[in-house]
């Protein structure tokens, strides 16, 4: 019955055909969780891409028959993406209540955000705990204290 949500979902399905039908709240949560993961932890885990894109011989964005490196067009396109996404993004942990809508749901939104932030701090503590163990290499990629709110290369 939410017209805006239905329109949003239709646009998602148009761009991502594997998105399931919006049949329940759980389906909405699952899809949005996937997007949040990919623009935060997923990109944080794969690391900074600049070192891979600055040299077209290293990791080409387009595969061309008989070529072992990117052509000029592909190299410039990848560098352009790196340029526009290279700005430092706000950190995931933080007070963003100044951008919340000033409507009848503001207090509930603040409570949800506070709960989300508290859960992220629990995840961060778990990452710290696991890194205190016998690991040879400490893994910080999924520590919310080190994640940005969006992609930054």
């Amino acid at each position: 019955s939410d017209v805006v949500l239905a329109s949003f979902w239709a646009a998602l399905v148009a761009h991502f055909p594997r998105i399931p039908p919006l049949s329940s709240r759980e389906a909405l949560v699952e899809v949005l969780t996937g997007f949040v993961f990919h623009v935060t932890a997923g990109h944080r885990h794969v690391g900074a891409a600049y070192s891979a894109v600055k040299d077209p011989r290293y990791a080409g964005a387009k595969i061309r028959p008989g070529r072992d490196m990117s052509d000029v067009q592909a190299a410039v396109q990848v560098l352009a993406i790196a340029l526009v996404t290279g700005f430092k993004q706000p950190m995931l942990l933080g007070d963003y209540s100044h951008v919340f809508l000033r409507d009848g749901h503001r207090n509930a939104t603040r409570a949800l955000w506070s709960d989300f932030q508290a859960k992220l701090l629990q995840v961060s503590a778990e990452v710290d705990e696991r890194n205190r163990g016998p690991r040879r290499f400490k893994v910080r990629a999924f520590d919310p204290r080190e994640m940005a709110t969006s992609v930054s290369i």
Side-chain angles (χ1 to χ4, degrees), residues 36-100:
V36 169
F37 170 81
H38 285 291
V39 301
T40 57
H43 276 89
R44 172 83 175 129
H45 183 64
V46 297
Y50 179 71
S51 60
V53 301
K54 69 181 179 181
D55 185 345
R57 295 169 296 177
Y58 179 70
K62 296 180 182 176
I63 300 172
R64 304 283 190 216
R67 304 295 301 259
D68 61 359
M69 65 182 265
S70 291
D71 59 22
V72 173
Q73 179 186 16
V76 169
Q77 287 171 335
V78 167
L79 288 171
I81 292 169
L83 177 67
V84 298
T85 60
F87 299 105
K88 185 160 178 61
Q89 300 297 316
M91 298 307 286
L92 188 56
L93 287 171
D95 180 10
Y96 297 104
S97 59
H98 62 283
V99 297
F100 296 165

Side-chain angles (χ1 to χ4, degrees), residues 12 24 27 55 68 71 90 92 94 97 120 134 138 141-142 146 152:
L12 281 180
S24 65
D55 185 345
D68 61 359
D71 59 22
L92 188 56
S97 59
L120 289 176
K138 306 303 180 201
F142 295 105
E146 298 192 19
S152 57

Side-chain angles (χ1 to χ4, degrees), residues 2 17 38 48 53-54 66 76 78 102 106 109 123 131 138 150:
D2 186 326
H38 285 291
V53 301
K54 69 181 179 181
V76 169
V78 167
R102 287 169 168 68
R106 188 171 173 87
T109 303
V123 170
N131 280 329
K138 306 303 180 201
S150 187

